[in-house]
Amino acid sequence: MNTREAKEILQLYRRPVDDADPQFREALTHAQRDPELAEWLQEQTRCYDAIRAKLREVEPPIDLPQKIIRTRPIPFARKWNEILKLAAAIFLSASITAIGFKLSEHKRRSIPQGQEITVKGEVLDMTCYIAYNLSGPEHASCARDCIRSGLPVGIKTENGKVYLLTGNAGKPVNTELADYAAKVVIIKGKKSIRDGFAQLQVEEIRKF
């Protein structure tokens, strides 16, 4: 494994969730031998922890776990809608803050943008995935409602890589993807990385 490969893997690293994964362990070992990569990882982890901490401050309804387990549709009362809007605002605010952590990285190295790729994976509600590591069929109802409400949507590919999904010119694709929440789809689009976040500008969505 070289530094470029290790860095690509570590862009998806979430401690302590991924600590037991052999692929991440190998990349972390490589980072221990590479001071520059270790410094980048420290900033990357700090950024991720900041976002996760902010999202964890959002209080879900008390009965949310039971509703998820029963896979019933979750009613979103006015207060919960306000919480969702707050979560989106916090997510965007934390992302903007992360720019400061990445300025030195951008100065040192430019990143190729706009590579067209096709990926297959599960459609994610990024807020619950980042904050609470929630995904899969048991989270489908909640994910669908969160995506419809305008919260960030992503895809987790078969190899574990996660992309934030956007539309043309950064427009959201929530309406098109809400019904695919927690389902596997094939998406064609242009890959890019902005402020440490892997993004995919959606051009085509195909049901798998």
Side-chain angles (χ1 to χ4, degrees), residues 170-207:
K171 294 180 180 178
V173 286
N174 296 55
T175 301
E176 294 89 336
L177 287 167
D179 288 336
Y180 293 115
K183 296 179 181 178
V184 175
V185 298
I186 297 173
I187 291 182
K188 177 182 177 182
K190 291 182 178 178
K191 169 187 173 183
S192 63
I193 297 178
R194 180 173 299 170
D195 306 318
F197 292 95
Q199 297 185 164
L200 190 59
Q201 183 175 306
V202 177
E203 296 177 345
E204 181 183 351
I205 304 169
R206 299 201 308 269
K207 186 176 180 180

Side-chain angles (χ1 to χ4, degrees), residues 15-113:
R15 66 176 185 185
V17 177
D18 297 321
D19 287 343
D21 189 302
Q23 188 177 29
F24 285 107
R25 283 207 304 266
E26 183 180 357
L28 289 168
T29 300
H30 186 89
Q32 292 174 355
R33 299 192 298 264
D34 186 328
E36 184 177 350
L37 181 60
E39 181 182 357
W40 171 86
L41 177 60
Q42 185 177 15
E43 291 184 357
Q44 175 81 358
T45 303
R46 180 182 171 191
C47 172
Y48 174 80
D49 288 346
I51 294 173
R52 194 170 189 181
K54 288 293 184 183
L55 290 173
R56 282 191 178 278
E57 292 176 5
V58 179
E59 289 290 338
I62 296 175
D63 58 348
L64 179 59
Q66 289 77 17
K67 290 181 178 179
I68 292 175
I69 292 172
R70 292 196 300 266
T71 65
R72 293 180 181 176
I74 300 174
F76 284 81
R78 177 180 296 180
K79 288 185 178 180
W80 183 230
N81 282 329
E82 291 173 359
I83 289 173
L84 290 175
K85 292 177 183 178
L86 176 60
I90 290 172
F91 186 92
L92 292 175
S93 176
S95 299
I96 293 171
T97 302
I99 295 174
F101 299 149
K102 302 299 176 183
L103 285 178
S104 59
E105 175 68 13
H106 281 298
K107 291 178 181 177
R108 288 196 299 266
R109 183 178 301 173
S110 60
I111 302 172
Q113 304 289 311

